[in-house]
Amino acid sequence: HNMRSSVANMISLCELLNEGDALEEHLKMLESSVHKLDDTIRTMNDLLEIEEDTQTIEKSSINLLDAVKNNCMLIQNLIKDK
């Protein structure tokens, strides 16, 4: 949606520029749409990099009960120390 709205805005602004009315205002609006599209594309690239990184993370099994018990002990020790 973000990419499509930016592209639609740029198309509309290009059509307005061809009409020749309020050129400076339309150029500023076009610049704003281009920057929004650039931000969206950069965000998408960041998300794709994160997704690629998560696929390379090695997974391991844990015992959930042991993990909860260990965390409870740590919390109890923190409480005692205060």
Side-chain angles (χ1 to χ4, degrees):
H1 175 73
N2 289 341
M3 288 180 60
R4 183 65 194 122
S5 65
S6 295
V7 170
N9 287 340
M10 287 187 286
I11 290 169
S12 297
L13 290 167
C14 286
E15 290 171 357
L16 288 172
L17 288 172
N18 286 331
E19 293 175 7
D21 297 334
L23 180 63
E24 186 175 338
E25 180 184 343
H26 292 145
L27 284 174
K28 287 180 183 178
M29 293 167 67
L30 180 59
E31 181 181 19
S32 174
S33 289
V34 169
H35 285 290
K36 287 179 185 176
L37 180 58
D38 184 51
D39 289 342
T40 300
I41 291 171
R42 288 176 189 270
T43 300
M44 289 176 62
N45 283 338
D46 290 344
L47 291 173
L48 288 172
E49 285 179 23
I50 291 170
E51 184 177 309
E52 287 175 7
D53 289 344
T54 59
Q55 291 176 1
T56 60
I57 295 174
E58 190 173 320
K59 298 174 184 170
S60 62
S61 298
I62 63 163
N63 184 316
L64 184 59
L65 182 58
D66 288 342
V68 171
K69 285 180 181 178
N70 287 338
N71 282 314
C72 286
M73 286 179 15
L74 289 171
I75 292 170
Q76 287 174 346
N77 289 336
L78 287 172
I79 293 171
K80 286 178 187 176
D81 290 344
K82 286 190 176 196

